[in-house]
Every structure is written in structure tokens, then in C-alpha cells.
PDB file of all heavy atoms in Angstrom:
ATOM      1  N   PRO A   1      49.394  10.739  34.363  1.00 83.00           N
ATOM      2  CA  PRO A   1      48.315  11.719  34.535  1.00 83.00           C
ATOM      3  C   PRO A   1      48.203  12.716  33.352  1.00 83.00           C
ATOM      4  O   PRO A   1      47.091  13.035  32.891  1.00 83.00           O
ATOM      5  CB  PRO A   1      48.653  12.430  35.857  1.00 83.00           C
ATOM      6  CG  PRO A   1      49.495  11.505  36.582  1.00 83.00           C
ATOM      7  CD  PRO A   1      50.278  10.795  35.595  1.00 83.00           C
ATOM      8  N   GLU A   2      49.375  13.171  32.858  1.00 87.00           N
ATOM      9  CA  GLU A   2      49.291  14.081  31.736  1.00 87.00           C
ATOM     10  C   GLU A   2      48.625  13.464  30.445  1.00 87.00           C
ATOM     11  O   GLU A   2      47.935  14.105  29.755  1.00 87.00           O
ATOM     12  CB  GLU A   2      50.643  14.642  31.339  1.00 87.00           C
ATOM     13  CG  GLU A   2      51.524  15.124  32.471  1.00 87.00           C
ATOM     14  CD  GLU A   2      52.251  14.047  33.230  1.00 87.00           C
ATOM     15  OE1 GLU A   2      52.830  13.092  32.606  1.00 87.00           O
ATOM     16  OE2 GLU A   2      52.313  14.117  34.435  1.00 87.00           O
ATOM     17  N   LEU A   3      49.069  12.171  30.252  1.00 84.00           N
ATOM     18  CA  LEU A   3      48.580  11.453  29.108  1.00 84.00           C
ATOM     19  C   LEU A   3      47.035  11.193  29.279  1.00 84.00           C
ATOM     20  O   LEU A   3      46.237  11.359  28.281  1.00 84.00           O
ATOM     21  CB  LEU A   3      49.281  10.091  28.914  1.00 84.00           C
ATOM     22  CG  LEU A   3      48.845   9.300  27.695  1.00 84.00           C
ATOM     23  CD1 LEU A   3      49.017  10.006  26.429  1.00 84.00           C
ATOM     24  CD2 LEU A   3      49.598   7.948  27.737  1.00 84.00           C
ATOM     25  N   LEU A   4      46.539  10.893  30.457  1.00 83.00           N
ATOM     26  CA  LEU A   4      45.200  10.592  30.683  1.00 83.00           C
ATOM     27  C   LEU A   4      44.386  11.900  30.468  1.00 83.00           C
ATOM     28  O   LEU A   4      43.271  11.909  29.895  1.00 83.00           O
ATOM     29  CB  LEU A   4      44.933  10.100  32.083  1.00 83.00           C
ATOM     30  CG  LEU A   4      45.493   8.613  32.387  1.00 83.00           C
ATOM     31  CD1 LEU A   4      45.246   8.222  33.788  1.00 83.00           C
ATOM     32  CD2 LEU A   4      44.927   7.646  31.440  1.00 83.00           C
ATOM     33  N   ALA A   5      44.937  13.003  30.975  1.00 86.00           N
ATOM     34  CA  ALA A   5      44.299  14.291  30.798  1.00 86.00           C
ATOM     35  C   ALA A   5      44.132  14.685  29.303  1.00 86.00           C
ATOM     36  O   ALA A   5      43.113  15.189  28.784  1.00 86.00           O
ATOM     37  CB  ALA A   5      45.048  15.374  31.504  1.00 86.00           C
ATOM     38  N   LEU A   6      45.213  14.458  28.539  1.00 88.00           N
ATOM     39  CA  LEU A   6      45.174  14.653  27.028  1.00 88.00           C
ATOM     40  C   LEU A   6      44.129  13.777  26.414  1.00 88.00           C
ATOM     41  O   LEU A   6      43.329  14.259  25.525  1.00 88.00           O
ATOM     42  CB  LEU A   6      46.577  14.388  26.512  1.00 88.00           C
ATOM     43  CG  LEU A   6      46.686  14.517  24.917  1.00 88.00           C
ATOM     44  CD1 LEU A   6      46.405  15.981  24.561  1.00 88.00           C
ATOM     45  CD2 LEU A   6      48.060  14.144  24.490  1.00 88.00           C
ATOM     46  N   ILE A   7      44.075  12.519  26.753  1.00 84.00           N
ATOM     47  CA  ILE A   7      43.064  11.619  26.120  1.00 84.00           C
ATOM     48  C   ILE A   7      41.662  12.069  26.484  1.00 84.00           C
ATOM     49  O   ILE A   7      40.823  12.136  25.619  1.00 84.00           O
ATOM     50  CB  ILE A   7      43.319  10.161  26.595  1.00 84.00           C
ATOM     51  CG1 ILE A   7      44.614   9.587  26.098  1.00 84.00           C
ATOM     52  CG2 ILE A   7      42.098   9.298  26.252  1.00 84.00           C
ATOM     53  CD1 ILE A   7      44.990   8.322  26.706  1.00 84.00           C
ATOM     54  N   LYS A   8      41.476  12.474  27.755  1.00 84.00           N
ATOM     55  CA  LYS A   8      40.238  12.917  28.188  1.00 84.00           C
ATOM     56  C   LYS A   8      39.722  14.144  27.403  1.00 84.00           C
ATOM     57  O   LYS A   8      38.572  14.199  26.927  1.00 84.00           O
ATOM     58  CB  LYS A   8      40.297  13.332  29.690  1.00 84.00           C
ATOM     59  CG  LYS A   8      39.036  13.750  30.317  1.00 84.00           C
ATOM     60  CD  LYS A   8      39.268  14.014  31.811  1.00 84.00           C
ATOM     61  CE  LYS A   8      38.285  15.077  32.321  1.00 84.00           C
ATOM     62  NZ  LYS A   8      38.535  15.512  33.698  1.00 84.00           N
ATOM     63  N   ASP A   9      40.645  15.080  27.164  1.00 86.00           N
ATOM     64  CA  ASP A   9      40.310  16.267  26.333  1.00 86.00           C
ATOM     65  C   ASP A   9      40.098  15.961  24.912  1.00 86.00           C
ATOM     66  O   ASP A   9      39.152  16.546  24.298  1.00 86.00           O
ATOM     67  CB  ASP A   9      41.452  17.326  26.478  1.00 86.00           C
ATOM     68  CG  ASP A   9      41.451  18.009  27.864  1.00 86.00           C
ATOM     69  OD1 ASP A   9      40.438  17.894  28.592  1.00 86.00           O
ATOM     70  OD2 ASP A   9      42.481  18.621  28.164  1.00 86.00           O
ATOM     71  N   GLU A  10      40.934  15.148  24.327  1.00 86.00           N
ATOM     72  CA  GLU A  10      40.835  14.849  22.959  1.00 86.00           C
ATOM     73  C   GLU A  10      39.580  14.060  22.528  1.00 86.00           C
ATOM     74  O   GLU A  10      39.033  14.298  21.408  1.00 86.00           O
ATOM     75  CB  GLU A  10      42.086  14.099  22.372  1.00 86.00           C
ATOM     76  CG  GLU A  10      43.316  14.994  22.421  1.00 86.00           C
ATOM     77  CD  GLU A  10      43.253  16.105  21.428  1.00 86.00           C
ATOM     78  OE1 GLU A  10      42.717  16.029  20.336  1.00 86.00           O
ATOM     79  OE2 GLU A  10      43.636  17.278  21.866  1.00 86.00           O
ATOM     80  N   VAL A  11      39.169  13.136  23.316  1.00 82.00           N
ATOM     81  CA  VAL A  11      37.965  12.374  23.004  1.00 82.00           C
ATOM     82  C   VAL A  11      36.722  12.891  23.652  1.00 82.00           C
ATOM     83  O   VAL A  11      35.616  12.320  23.509  1.00 82.00           O
ATOM     84  CB  VAL A  11      38.196  10.817  23.317  1.00 82.00           C
ATOM     85  CG1 VAL A  11      39.267  10.298  22.411  1.00 82.00           C
ATOM     86  CG2 VAL A  11      38.429  10.602  24.708  1.00 82.00           C
ATOM     87  N   ASN A  12      36.820  14.011  24.423  1.00 81.00           N
ATOM     88  CA  ASN A  12      35.639  14.649  25.028  1.00 81.00           C
ATOM     89  C   ASN A  12      34.930  13.776  25.924  1.00 81.00           C
ATOM     90  O   ASN A  12      33.729  13.550  25.747  1.00 81.00           O
ATOM     91  CB  ASN A  12      34.781  15.266  23.931  1.00 81.00           C
ATOM     92  CG  ASN A  12      33.817  16.302  24.528  1.00 81.00           C
ATOM     93  OD1 ASN A  12      34.033  16.780  25.580  1.00 81.00           O
ATOM     94  ND2 ASN A  12      32.717  16.442  23.866  1.00 81.00           N
ATOM     95  N   VAL A  13      35.585  13.187  26.921  1.00 82.00           N
ATOM     96  CA  VAL A  13      35.018  12.414  27.945  1.00 82.00           C
ATOM     97  C   VAL A  13      35.256  12.956  29.282  1.00 82.00           C
ATOM     98  O   VAL A  13      36.218  13.759  29.534  1.00 82.00           O
ATOM     99  CB  VAL A  13      35.525  10.915  27.872  1.00 82.00           C
ATOM    100  CG1 VAL A  13      35.045  10.253  26.527  1.00 82.00           C
ATOM    101  CG2 VAL A  13      36.966  10.796  28.092  1.00 82.00           C
ATOM    102  N   LYS A  14      34.493  12.594  30.245  1.00 83.00           N
ATOM    103  CA  LYS A  14      34.738  12.939  31.623  1.00 83.00           C
ATOM    104  C   LYS A  14      35.756  12.229  32.397  1.00 83.00           C
ATOM    105  O   LYS A  14      36.476  12.758  33.230  1.00 83.00           O
ATOM    106  CB  LYS A  14      33.369  12.920  32.434  1.00 83.00           C
ATOM    107  CG  LYS A  14      32.367  13.906  32.004  1.00 83.00           C
ATOM    108  CD  LYS A  14      31.130  13.816  32.871  1.00 83.00           C
ATOM    109  CE  LYS A  14      30.307  14.972  32.672  1.00 83.00           C
ATOM    110  NZ  LYS A  14      30.374  16.086  33.674  1.00 83.00           N
ATOM    111  N   VAL A  15      35.775  10.885  32.147  1.00 82.00           N
ATOM    112  CA  VAL A  15      36.709  10.015  32.937  1.00 82.00           C
ATOM    113  C   VAL A  15      37.433   9.057  31.986  1.00 82.00           C
ATOM    114  O   VAL A  15      36.850   8.495  31.036  1.00 82.00           O
ATOM    115  CB  VAL A  15      35.969   9.202  33.979  1.00 82.00           C
ATOM    116  CG1 VAL A  15      36.830   8.225  34.691  1.00 82.00           C
ATOM    117  CG2 VAL A  15      35.182  10.088  34.892  1.00 82.00           C
ATOM    118  N   VAL A  16      38.775   8.846  32.250  1.00 81.00           N
ATOM    119  CA  VAL A  16      39.495   7.835  31.448  1.00 81.00           C
ATOM    120  C   VAL A  16      39.952   6.854  32.534  1.00 81.00           C
ATOM    121  O   VAL A  16      40.643   7.226  33.492  1.00 81.00           O
ATOM    122  CB  VAL A  16      40.706   8.452  30.828  1.00 81.00           C
ATOM    123  CG1 VAL A  16      41.578   7.349  30.143  1.00 81.00           C
ATOM    124  CG2 VAL A  16      40.347   9.489  29.767  1.00 81.00           C
ATOM    125  N   GLU A  17      39.523   5.627  32.368  1.00 79.00           N
ATOM    126  CA  GLU A  17      39.860   4.555  33.313  1.00 79.00           C
ATOM    127  C   GLU A  17      40.877   3.722  32.597  1.00 79.00           C
ATOM    128  O   GLU A  17      40.758   3.253  31.458  1.00 79.00           O
ATOM    129  CB  GLU A  17      38.733   3.720  33.767  1.00 79.00           C
ATOM    130  CG  GLU A  17      37.698   4.551  34.606  1.00 79.00           C
ATOM    131  CD  GLU A  17      36.501   3.790  34.925  1.00 79.00           C
ATOM    132  OE1 GLU A  17      36.302   2.618  34.565  1.00 79.00           O
ATOM    133  OE2 GLU A  17      35.675   4.341  35.693  1.00 79.00           O
ATOM    134  N   VAL A  18      41.933   3.298  33.355  1.00 76.00           N
ATOM    135  CA  VAL A  18      42.974   2.410  32.823  1.00 76.00           C
ATOM    136  C   VAL A  18      42.937   1.040  33.598  1.00 76.00           C
ATOM    137  O   VAL A  18      43.066   1.117  34.833  1.00 76.00           O
ATOM    138  CB  VAL A  18      44.344   3.055  32.941  1.00 76.00           C
ATOM    139  CG1 VAL A  18      45.487   2.117  32.428  1.00 76.00           C
ATOM    140  CG2 VAL A  18      44.329   4.322  32.146  1.00 76.00           C
ATOM    141  N   ASP A  19      42.873  -0.028  32.927  1.00 73.00           N
ATOM    142  CA  ASP A  19      42.988  -1.322  33.490  1.00 73.00           C
ATOM    143  C   ASP A  19      44.336  -1.878  33.164  1.00 73.00           C
ATOM    144  O   ASP A  19      44.607  -2.260  32.065  1.00 73.00           O
ATOM    145  CB  ASP A  19      41.873  -2.251  32.958  1.00 73.00           C
ATOM    146  CG  ASP A  19      41.820  -3.576  33.703  1.00 73.00           C
ATOM    147  OD1 ASP A  19      42.805  -3.923  34.372  1.00 73.00           O
ATOM    148  OD2 ASP A  19      40.787  -4.288  33.674  1.00 73.00           O
ATOM    149  N   GLU A  20      45.265  -1.893  34.103  1.00 72.00           N
ATOM    150  CA  GLU A  20      46.587  -2.342  33.856  1.00 72.00           C
ATOM    151  C   GLU A  20      46.757  -3.698  33.430  1.00 72.00           C
ATOM    152  O   GLU A  20      47.759  -4.149  32.821  1.00 72.00           O
ATOM    153  CB  GLU A  20      47.478  -2.117  35.153  1.00 72.00           C
ATOM    154  CG  GLU A  20      47.562  -0.607  35.578  1.00 72.00           C
ATOM    155  CD  GLU A  20      48.318   0.309  34.658  1.00 72.00           C
ATOM    156  OE1 GLU A  20      49.136  -0.119  33.912  1.00 72.00           O
ATOM    157  OE2 GLU A  20      48.014   1.515  34.708  1.00 72.00           O
ATOM    158  N   LYS A  21      45.723  -4.519  33.699  1.00 73.00           N
ATOM    159  CA  LYS A  21      45.743  -5.902  33.275  1.00 73.00           C
ATOM    160  C   LYS A  21      45.481  -6.159  31.825  1.00 73.00           C
ATOM    161  O   LYS A  21      45.820  -7.191  31.267  1.00 73.00           O
ATOM    162  CB  LYS A  21      44.810  -6.741  34.088  1.00 73.00           C
ATOM    163  CG  LYS A  21      45.061  -6.684  35.648  1.00 73.00           C
ATOM    164  CD  LYS A  21      43.923  -7.352  36.328  1.00 73.00           C
ATOM    165  CE  LYS A  21      43.821  -6.820  37.724  1.00 73.00           C
ATOM    166  NZ  LYS A  21      42.557  -6.877  38.332  1.00 73.00           N
ATOM    167  N   ILE A  22      44.798  -5.174  31.214  1.00 65.00           N
ATOM    168  CA  ILE A  22      44.349  -5.392  29.797  1.00 65.00           C
ATOM    169  C   ILE A  22      45.336  -4.649  28.876  1.00 65.00           C
ATOM    170  O   ILE A  22      45.609  -3.426  29.108  1.00 65.00           O
ATOM    171  CB  ILE A  22      42.909  -4.780  29.602  1.00 65.00           C
ATOM    172  CG1 ILE A  22      42.048  -5.650  30.474  1.00 65.00           C
ATOM    173  CG2 ILE A  22      42.550  -4.917  28.158  1.00 65.00           C
ATOM    174  CD1 ILE A  22      40.595  -5.156  30.417  1.00 65.00           C
ATOM    175  N   ALA A  23      45.831  -5.251  27.893  1.00 64.00           N
ATOM    176  CA  ALA A  23      46.745  -4.704  26.893  1.00 64.00           C
ATOM    177  C   ALA A  23      45.812  -3.998  25.838  1.00 64.00           C
ATOM    178  O   ALA A  23      44.751  -4.331  25.680  1.00 64.00           O
ATOM    179  CB  ALA A  23      47.602  -5.651  26.256  1.00 64.00           C
ATOM    180  N   PRO A  24      46.428  -3.005  25.102  1.00 65.00           N
ATOM    181  CA  PRO A  24      45.663  -2.403  23.992  1.00 65.00           C
ATOM    182  C   PRO A  24      45.057  -3.523  23.162  1.00 65.00           C
ATOM    183  O   PRO A  24      45.487  -4.604  23.126  1.00 65.00           O
ATOM    184  CB  PRO A  24      46.652  -1.581  23.304  1.00 65.00           C
ATOM    185  CG  PRO A  24      47.733  -1.338  24.266  1.00 65.00           C
ATOM    186  CD  PRO A  24      47.729  -2.494  25.147  1.00 65.00           C
ATOM    187  N   PRO A  25      43.982  -3.231  22.457  1.00 63.00           N
ATOM    188  CA  PRO A  25      43.452  -1.992  21.951  1.00 63.00           C
ATOM    189  C   PRO A  25      42.673  -1.291  23.124  1.00 63.00           C
ATOM    190  O   PRO A  25      42.149  -1.911  23.982  1.00 63.00           O
ATOM    191  CB  PRO A  25      42.601  -2.320  20.800  1.00 63.00           C
ATOM    192  CG  PRO A  25      42.128  -3.686  21.062  1.00 63.00           C
ATOM    193  CD  PRO A  25      43.244  -4.386  21.825  1.00 63.00           C
ATOM    194  N   VAL A  26      42.471   0.047  22.827  1.00 70.00           N
ATOM    195  CA  VAL A  26      41.692   0.856  23.809  1.00 70.00           C
ATOM    196  C   VAL A  26      40.250   0.718  23.400  1.00 70.00           C
ATOM    197  O   VAL A  26      39.840   0.696  22.316  1.00 70.00           O
ATOM    198  CB  VAL A  26      42.147   2.342  23.692  1.00 70.00           C
ATOM    199  CG1 VAL A  26      41.232   3.205  24.510  1.00 70.00           C
ATOM    200  CG2 VAL A  26      43.601   2.468  24.078  1.00 70.00           C
ATOM    201  N   GLU A  27      39.440   0.657  24.491  1.00 75.00           N
ATOM    202  CA  GLU A  27      37.969   0.597  24.262  1.00 75.00           C
ATOM    203  C   GLU A  27      37.387   1.918  24.792  1.00 75.00           C
ATOM    204  O   GLU A  27      37.752   2.307  25.853  1.00 75.00           O
ATOM    205  CB  GLU A  27      37.347  -0.607  25.009  1.00 75.00           C
ATOM    206  CG  GLU A  27      37.329  -1.835  24.229  1.00 75.00           C
ATOM    207  CD  GLU A  27      36.560  -2.906  24.978  1.00 75.00           C
ATOM    208  OE1 GLU A  27      35.467  -2.632  25.471  1.00 75.00           O
ATOM    209  OE2 GLU A  27      37.164  -4.046  25.108  1.00 75.00           O
ATOM    210  N   LEU A  28      36.435   2.403  23.992  1.00 75.00           N
ATOM    211  CA  LEU A  28      35.676   3.592  24.438  1.00 75.00           C
ATOM    212  C   LEU A  28      34.206   3.266  24.765  1.00 75.00           C
ATOM    213  O   LEU A  28      33.602   2.592  23.931  1.00 75.00           O
ATOM    214  CB  LEU A  28      35.732   4.694  23.400  1.00 75.00           C
ATOM    215  CG  LEU A  28      37.101   5.286  23.068  1.00 75.00           C
ATOM    216  CD1 LEU A  28      36.972   6.361  21.945  1.00 75.00           C
ATOM    217  CD2 LEU A  28      37.752   5.912  24.265  1.00 75.00           C
ATOM    218  N   ASP A  29      33.824   3.619  25.958  1.00 78.00           N
ATOM    219  CA  ASP A  29      32.321   3.420  26.233  1.00 78.00           C
ATOM    220  C   ASP A  29      31.675   4.703  25.741  1.00 78.00           C
ATOM    221  O   ASP A  29      31.857   5.737  26.346  1.00 78.00           O
ATOM    222  CB  ASP A  29      32.217   3.269  27.776  1.00 78.00           C
ATOM    223  CG  ASP A  29      30.722   3.055  28.136  1.00 78.00           C
ATOM    224  OD1 ASP A  29      29.818   3.092  27.328  1.00 78.00           O
ATOM    225  OD2 ASP A  29      30.468   2.851  29.370  1.00 78.00           O
ATOM    226  N   THR A  30      30.887   4.618  24.728  1.00 81.00           N
ATOM    227  CA  THR A  30      30.272   5.741  24.139  1.00 81.00           C
ATOM    228  C   THR A  30      28.752   5.844  24.522  1.00 81.00           C
ATOM    229  O   THR A  30      28.006   6.533  23.868  1.00 81.00           O
ATOM    230  CB  THR A  30      30.326   5.677  22.595  1.00 81.00           C
ATOM    231  OG1 THR A  30      29.740   4.451  22.114  1.00 81.00           O
ATOM    232  CG2 THR A  30      31.798   5.798  22.161  1.00 81.00           C
ATOM    233  N   THR A  31      28.355   5.220  25.549  1.00 87.00           N
ATOM    234  CA  THR A  31      27.021   5.259  26.099  1.00 87.00           C
ATOM    235  C   THR A  31      26.701   6.692  26.495  1.00 87.00           C
ATOM    236  O   THR A  31      27.370   7.291  27.346  1.00 87.00           O
ATOM    237  CB  THR A  31      26.817   4.333  27.276  1.00 87.00           C
ATOM    238  OG1 THR A  31      27.269   3.020  26.915  1.00 87.00           O
ATOM    239  CG2 THR A  31      25.398   4.291  27.732  1.00 87.00           C
ATOM    240  N   ILE A  32      25.589   7.160  25.950  1.00 88.00           N
ATOM    241  CA  ILE A  32      25.047   8.484  26.351  1.00 88.00           C
ATOM    242  C   ILE A  32      24.025   8.288  27.505  1.00 88.00           C
ATOM    243  O   ILE A  32      22.917   7.848  27.168  1.00 88.00           O
ATOM    244  CB  ILE A  32      24.428   9.284  25.178  1.00 88.00           C
ATOM    245  CG1 ILE A  32      25.445   9.412  24.043  1.00 88.00           C
ATOM    246  CG2 ILE A  32      23.938  10.662  25.588  1.00 88.00           C
ATOM    247  CD1 ILE A  32      26.652  10.330  24.333  1.00 88.00           C
ATOM    248  N   THR A  33      24.407   8.617  28.686  1.00 90.00           N
ATOM    249  CA  THR A  33      23.415   8.452  29.832  1.00 90.00           C
ATOM    250  C   THR A  33      22.423   9.706  29.839  1.00 90.00           C
ATOM    251  O   THR A  33      22.773  10.751  29.157  1.00 90.00           O
ATOM    252  CB  THR A  33      24.215   8.441  31.153  1.00 90.00           C
ATOM    253  OG1 THR A  33      24.846   9.748  31.307  1.00 90.00           O
ATOM    254  CG2 THR A  33      25.195   7.350  31.215  1.00 90.00           C
ATOM    255  N   PRO A  34      21.376   9.612  30.468  1.00 90.00           N
ATOM    256  CA  PRO A  34      20.473  10.772  30.501  1.00 90.00           C
ATOM    257  C   PRO A  34      21.203  11.981  31.112  1.00 90.00           C
ATOM    258  O   PRO A  34      20.867  13.142  30.593  1.00 90.00           O
ATOM    259  CB  PRO A  34      19.336  10.294  31.437  1.00 90.00           C
ATOM    260  CG  PRO A  34      19.328   8.844  31.292  1.00 90.00           C
ATOM    261  CD  PRO A  34      20.763   8.395  31.072  1.00 90.00           C
ATOM    262  N   GLU A  35      22.079  11.793  32.003  1.00 88.00           N
ATOM    263  CA  GLU A  35      22.787  12.904  32.600  1.00 88.00           C
ATOM    264  C   GLU A  35      23.628  13.562  31.593  1.00 88.00           C
ATOM    265  O   GLU A  35      23.781  14.827  31.494  1.00 88.00           O
ATOM    266  CB  GLU A  35      23.639  12.474  33.802  1.00 88.00           C
ATOM    267  CG  GLU A  35      22.766  12.008  35.018  1.00 88.00           C
ATOM    268  CD  GLU A  35      22.262  10.580  34.923  1.00 88.00           C
ATOM    269  OE1 GLU A  35      22.827   9.786  34.008  1.00 88.00           O
ATOM    270  OE2 GLU A  35      21.375  10.206  35.695  1.00 88.00           O
ATOM    271  N   LEU A  36      24.397  12.747  30.776  1.00 87.00           N
ATOM    272  CA  LEU A  36      25.310  13.311  29.775  1.00 87.00           C
ATOM    273  C   LEU A  36      24.482  14.046  28.659  1.00 87.00           C
ATOM    274  O   LEU A  36      24.877  15.078  28.210  1.00 87.00           O
ATOM    275  CB  LEU A  36      26.145  12.191  29.105  1.00 87.00           C
ATOM    276  CG  LEU A  36      27.236  11.605  30.003  1.00 87.00           C
ATOM    277  CD1 LEU A  36      27.923  10.464  29.266  1.00 87.00           C
ATOM    278  CD2 LEU A  36      28.272  12.710  30.378  1.00 87.00           C
ATOM    279  N   LYS A  37      23.315  13.504  28.349  1.00 89.00           N
ATOM    280  CA  LYS A  37      22.415  14.129  27.337  1.00 89.00           C
ATOM    281  C   LYS A  37      22.041  15.528  27.848  1.00 89.00           C
ATOM    282  O   LYS A  37      22.011  16.524  27.070  1.00 89.00           O
ATOM    283  CB  LYS A  37      21.228  13.289  27.034  1.00 89.00           C
ATOM    284  CG  LYS A  37      20.190  13.983  26.243  1.00 89.00           C
ATOM    285  CD  LYS A  37      19.870  13.246  24.975  1.00 89.00           C
ATOM    286  CE  LYS A  37      18.802  13.948  24.143  1.00 89.00           C
ATOM    287  NZ  LYS A  37      18.853  15.320  23.921  1.00 89.00           N
ATOM    288  N   GLU A  38      21.616  15.573  29.136  1.00 90.00           N
ATOM    289  CA  GLU A  38      21.203  16.817  29.755  1.00 90.00           C
ATOM    290  C   GLU A  38      22.353  17.844  29.744  1.00 90.00           C
ATOM    291  O   GLU A  38      22.118  18.970  29.401  1.00 90.00           O
ATOM    292  CB  GLU A  38      20.633  16.528  31.152  1.00 90.00           C
ATOM    293  CG  GLU A  38      20.053  17.850  31.751  1.00 90.00           C
ATOM    294  CD  GLU A  38      19.374  17.577  33.055  1.00 90.00           C
ATOM    295  OE1 GLU A  38      20.116  16.981  33.974  1.00 90.00           O
ATOM    296  OE2 GLU A  38      18.280  17.926  33.264  1.00 90.00           O
ATOM    297  N   GLU A  39      23.513  17.330  30.094  1.00 89.00           N
ATOM    298  CA  GLU A  39      24.661  18.319  30.052  1.00 89.00           C
ATOM    299  C   GLU A  39      25.018  18.784  28.657  1.00 89.00           C
ATOM    300  O   GLU A  39      25.334  19.959  28.455  1.00 89.00           O
ATOM    301  CB  GLU A  39      25.942  17.598  30.571  1.00 89.00           C
ATOM    302  CG  GLU A  39      25.919  17.450  32.134  1.00 89.00           C
ATOM    303  CD  GLU A  39      27.152  16.766  32.671  1.00 89.00           C
ATOM    304  OE1 GLU A  39      28.205  16.995  32.056  1.00 89.00           O
ATOM    305  OE2 GLU A  39      26.977  16.052  33.669  1.00 89.00           O
ATOM    306  N   GLY A  40      24.891  17.875  27.675  1.00 90.00           N
ATOM    307  CA  GLY A  40      25.055  18.330  26.270  1.00 90.00           C
ATOM    308  C   GLY A  40      24.071  19.363  25.842  1.00 90.00           C
ATOM    309  O   GLY A  40      24.298  20.315  25.142  1.00 90.00           O
ATOM    310  N   ASP A  41      22.759  19.069  26.206  1.00 92.00           N
ATOM    311  CA  ASP A  41      21.722  20.019  25.858  1.00 92.00           C
ATOM    312  C   ASP A  41      21.958  21.384  26.524  1.00 92.00           C
ATOM    313  O   ASP A  41      21.743  22.384  25.939  1.00 92.00           O
ATOM    314  CB  ASP A  41      20.332  19.474  26.344  1.00 92.00           C
ATOM    315  CG  ASP A  41      20.004  18.226  25.483  1.00 92.00           C
ATOM    316  OD1 ASP A  41      20.552  17.963  24.455  1.00 92.00           O
ATOM    317  OD2 ASP A  41      19.011  17.516  25.965  1.00 92.00           O
ATOM    318  N   LEU A  42      22.359  21.315  27.756  1.00 94.00           N
ATOM    319  CA  LEU A  42      22.741  22.518  28.475  1.00 94.00           C
ATOM    320  C   LEU A  42      23.815  23.324  27.839  1.00 94.00           C
ATOM    321  O   LEU A  42      23.663  24.588  27.517  1.00 94.00           O
ATOM    322  CB  LEU A  42      23.221  22.224  29.978  1.00 94.00           C
ATOM    323  CG  LEU A  42      23.666  23.400  30.778  1.00 94.00           C
ATOM    324  CD1 LEU A  42      22.535  24.431  31.024  1.00 94.00           C
ATOM    325  CD2 LEU A  42      24.276  22.839  32.062  1.00 94.00           C
TER     326      LEU A  42
END
């Protein structure tokens, strides 16, 4: 949990999901949804 919280803060995302079946590399979903855009504008 501490590592996930650190990753969340460092890459400025709301959620970090871990799929235990997939080995690295890490993938980031950088999709800006309308809700995220509105929060950023706010």
C-alpha cells in the first residue's frame, strides 16, 4: 500500500491498479476523461 500511494502521488493519478498476473513493464493509462478535465480546470 505504501508503494502504491507513492506511485499515485508521483505520477499524479487517482488510482493505481495492480494486475498480479502481468509482469513489468508498467503501463499508464493517460486518458483524460471529461471528469478529469473538469477537475483540472477547477
Side-chain angles (χ1 to χ4, degrees):
E2 310 85 40
L3 181 59
L4 294 177
L6 178 64
I7 292 169
K8 183 178 154 186
D9 287 343
E10 290 298 318
V11 296
N12 194 24
V13 295
K14 288 186 167 259
V15 177
V16 176
E17 294 178 355
V18 177
D19 186 342
E20 298 291 338
K21 300 174 206 156
I22 298 175
V26 172
E27 272 187 47
L28 296 177
D29 180 359
T30 58
T31 305
I32 304 294
T33 64
E35 293 82 12
L36 288 174
K37 169 123 178 48
E38 186 175 53
E39 285 181 32
D41 292 345
L42 173 66

